[in-house]
Amino acid sequence: MRHRWRRGLLAVVVGLLAAGCFAPSEPMFGDGDSVPEEFSRLPLPVRPDSDGAWALNAPGAGLLGQGRTLVRLEGAKNLEGAENPGWRLALPAEFALTSHQPGTAHSAFVRADRVVLVGGRDDRSGPSAIAGLAPERGLVTWRHALPPGSQVFLFEDAFEVLTAVCHPDSCLLTAWDASSGALRWTRTVPGAVRVVEACRVDAHGTVDGLSGVGCGFRLVAPDRVGTVAPEDGGVSWETGLRPPDGTVDRILVTGDRVIMVTAPAEGSCRATVLASGVTSGDGDRGWRYSFVWDQPRAPRDARTGCRWDRALPLVVGFRLVLPDAEGALDLDPHFGTLRPSQRLAPGAYVLTDGTSNEIVRAPGRPDRLLHPIGDQPVRPHGLSPAARSVTHGFWQDGRRLLLLDHEGHTLWKGTSDCRAFPKVGKGVGGPVTYCDGDDLVTLRPVRDD
């Protein structure tokens, strides 16, 4: 009986091996064995900004844009050899790409292979127009001028564009089909209503290469918060959720909890965070925290007099870090003050290097991990505090590019004149693209035989 069982098990294993279930995994950077092989090299089609990054970098769609130049990289969507046509487009001055924040003037939304450009003009502080781009052809296919005071958003679960013009007594909402530019619907919401971006864990501030992904929006009235249906503009007000006093500056969404954060008040710099109750598990009645806003990395805002920069994320890695003048407060973004928290020393702040590490930085002190595990290092040996992870095992430190094995030994090194970036959709450890002088080079992992 025992022998028959063993023979049966052996047959199953042999069958799985024959079916390829235990086939060797594909090479990837960071597996300790793979090294880079040059997959493609082409003349740099558009130079990045002075910071080494492009205003628009959507690797999944193969798009790079800076200023009035937008290009689609030839063969960018297929690293197995299939050719995809590339193109180069000279954008109108109104749609020049200079902003990294989707929805602001001179920016773009990208989702899969669809693109919406957001224009701007010198005589306008906000968006002046929206336009649709067909990436497969490199053509602007539609355009709509916007009235002064317009805001532009992307629905989170549908590729529809929302434009909003809000006044003290009402807010006019208009939805456009992002592919055709056709008008979907218009709706006027009465009252003192504002539209506020609602990101999933501060998506723009924490992830490279995203353009409008992870952010929807909420309607915010003095006494309630609501959502808008992309199909017909129907407004649903969330039961029992009332905004805190002050101007709600951003909304974060984590699971079924909505977190509202007010801008610091002029003079006092006091701000409030209010988290909704939840319906999951046993539920709770939410939580609230008030503090004096002070971001050590930020210059003083001209209007409020506070050290405040809304481009700096409040969610770093997996933690919500509130810039309290008494010392930044480290919280779980879902549980907030409902669970024990940690306060940092005054002047310290938290940032990430592109990994899951949350790093505490303070003037005159060495960096440390916010939540260390054993003797886990802050970063691989020999890298400066400016080092960032491009993908698993691949690091960029200034102009230096390094591929490290599990022990921190260098498997490959090079230099890049721009911010290197990974190929989206290939998983962690997939191909990496960087600038070698006047060339744009893509490396793919191969086994080191």
Side-chain angles (χ1 to χ4, degrees), residues 157-335:
D157 298 319
F159 197 56
E160 312 291 339
V161 181
L162 180 88
T163 58
V165 183
C166 298
H167 301 287
D169 58 349
S170 66
C171 200
L172 175 64
L173 308 180
T174 306
W176 310 88
D177 182 277
S179 299
S180 66
L183 175 67
R184 292 291 305 275
W185 48 260
T186 61
R187 175 179 290 271
T188 299
V189 182
V193 179
R194 300 167 52 242
V195 186
V196 179
E197 188 177 66
C199 288
R200 294 192 180 278
V201 292
D202 262 356
H204 295 324
T206 58
V207 183
D208 287 340
L210 295 185
S211 186
V213 177
C215 287
F217 55 87
R218 290 288 198 281
L219 300 184
V220 179
D223 59 349
R224 52 187 177 171
V225 178
T227 58
V228 180
E231 301 83 10
D232 57 8
V235 177
S236 299
W237 299 104
E238 301 192 30
T239 304
L241 183 56
R242 182 187 178 94
D245 293 336
T247 301
V248 175
D249 174 67
R250 69 180 93 184
I251 295 177
L252 312 178
V253 180
T254 173
D256 53 357
R257 195 187 293 284
V258 177
I259 303 173
M260 291 177 284
V261 186
T262 66
E266 183 177 353
S268 69
C269 298
R270 185 160 290 279
T272 299
V273 178
L274 176 69
S276 68
V278 296
T279 57
S280 61
D282 295 330
D284 63 66
R285 300 183 63 184
W287 55 271
R288 176 191 295 261
Y289 181 73
S290 180
F291 64 100
V292 175
W293 193 295
D294 187 72
Q295 285 173 300
R297 290 186 287 169
R300 294 206 176 272
D301 177 63
R303 185 182 64 82
T304 63
C306 311
R307 291 202 293 183
W308 172 50
D309 182 355
R310 75 181 310 270
L312 294 174
L314 297 182
V315 177
V316 182
F318 300 102
R319 308 296 297 180
L320 175 63
V321 184
L322 301 179
D324 195 328
E326 295 183 7
L329 195 65
D330 160 41
L331 304 167
D332 181 298
H334 183 77
F335 294 102

Side-chain angles (χ1 to χ4, degrees), residues 412-438:
W412 178 91
K413 60 183 177 181
T415 59
S416 179
D417 299 305
C418 67
R419 189 177 175 91
F421 57 92
K423 174 69 175 179
V424 172
K426 287 292 181 178
V428 177
V432 168
T433 300
Y434 72 102
C435 300
D436 182 12
D438 293 327

Side-chain angles (χ1 to χ4, degrees), residues 62-114:
L63 297 174
L64 285 177
Q66 184 66 42
R68 294 186 60 180
T69 302
L70 178 61
V71 299
R72 188 188 193 209
L73 304 177
E74 185 173 351
K77 294 185 71 176
N78 192 330
L79 282 162
E80 283 72 43
E83 292 291 334
N84 286 318
W87 46 256
R88 183 183 186 90
L89 177 64
L91 297 168
E94 183 176 32
F95 292 103
L97 296 167
T98 57
S99 173
H100 294 269
Q101 184 70 24
T104 59
H106 298 296
S107 70
F109 290 109
V110 180
R111 185 172 292 169
D113 60 349
R114 306 308 306 171

